[in-house]
């Protein structure tokens, strides 16, 4: 329609994160969903899973700190570092899980990572639905953490070499294949709207 003002973009995003802006509802949604990590940390501590609890509380506090006022800053870097550290620990500790705990933990972790990936791709297109996918990823990651705590990952003892676990191995392989595929995918230039045809 000629002369109609286009709606403002809800998020300005670039691959380099030079400038980020988020509406209040997105910040509140993601702060609320970040509480999953804090609650999972408390539950892990209650079950005596100290290392898991520490990784979760660090991830939760950094996520809450970032989403209270999101944007390019040291808080974003700290959030990403804590999240990656927590993910790596959960993937590693998950090798000691068995039976249903293993299936639920890795299904939740993989689903959460797919939600984060979908969230990222939607955000690059300025689609505000990305925030719901990101909140879903927080929830699924919290579920994985609770399952790890229930599976008693602290009982692995002093053996640092992960045992053979086909579910864990396939999950890690799927994550690595997806990362490599994303890194090798050519960057598609964004479309520039043509002026009057």
């Amino acid at each position: 329609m000629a002369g109609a003002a286009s709606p403002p973009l809800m998020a300005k995003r670039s691959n380099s994160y030079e400038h980020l802006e988020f509406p209040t509802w997105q910040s509140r949604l993601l702060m609320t969903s970040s509480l999953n990590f804090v609650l999972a940390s408390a539950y892990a501590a209650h079950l005596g899973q100290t290392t898991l609890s520490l990784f979760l509380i660090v991830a939760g506090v950094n996520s809450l700190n970032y989403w209270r006022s999101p944007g390019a800053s040291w808080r974003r870097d700290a959030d990403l570092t804590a999240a990656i550290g927590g993910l790596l620990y959960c993937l590693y500790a998950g090798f000691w899980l068995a039976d249903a705990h293993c299936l639920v933990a890795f299904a939740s972790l993989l689903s959460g990572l797919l939600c984060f990936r979908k969230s990222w791709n939607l955000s690059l297109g300025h689609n505000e639905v990305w925030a719901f996918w990101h909140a879903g990823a927080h929830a699924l990651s919290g579920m994985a953490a609770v399952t790890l705590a229930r599976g008693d990952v602290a009982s692995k003892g002093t053996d640092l070499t992960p045992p053979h676990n086909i579910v864990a191995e396939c999950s890690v392989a799927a994550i690595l294949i997806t990362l490599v595929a994303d890194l090798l995918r050519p960057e598609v230039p964004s479309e520039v709207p043509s002026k009057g045809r």
Side-chain angles (χ1 to χ4, degrees), residues 25 28 38 41 130 142 166:
W25 73 265
R28 288 182 181 161
V38 175
S41 173
W130 73 266
I166 192 70

Side-chain angles (χ1 to χ4, degrees), residues 45-79:
H46 171 72
L47 295 179
Q49 305 286 319
T50 309
T51 305
L52 178 61
S53 178
L54 288 173
F55 273 102
L56 293 171
I57 196 66
V58 168
V61 166
N62 278 289
S63 187
L64 284 166
N65 188 38
Y66 175 69
W67 288 113
R68 73 181 169 81
S69 180
S73 70
W74 68 269
R75 289 180 295 104
R76 180 184 173 277
D77 297 336
D79 180 29

Side-chain angles (χ1 to χ4, degrees), residues 3 6 12 18 23 60 66 69 78 84 101-102 106-108 114 122-123 126 128 132 166 180-181 184 189:
S6 61
K12 293 181 183 176
E18 292 166 355
Y66 175 69
S69 180
I84 290 169
H101 289 114
C102 183
F106 279 101
S108 300
L114 287 174
L122 287 171
S123 70
H126 305 293
E128 66 184 26
F132 295 110
I166 192 70
V180 169
L184 294 177

Side-chain angles (χ1 to χ4, degrees), residues 7 39 51 54 58 62 68 74 91 99-100 105 108 121 136 140-141 147 175 184 188:
L39 296 173
T51 305
L54 288 173
V58 168
N62 278 289
R68 73 181 169 81
W74 68 269
L91 287 171
D99 304 323
S108 300
N121 288 328
L140 287 163
S141 299
T147 306
I175 292 167
L184 294 177
V188 178

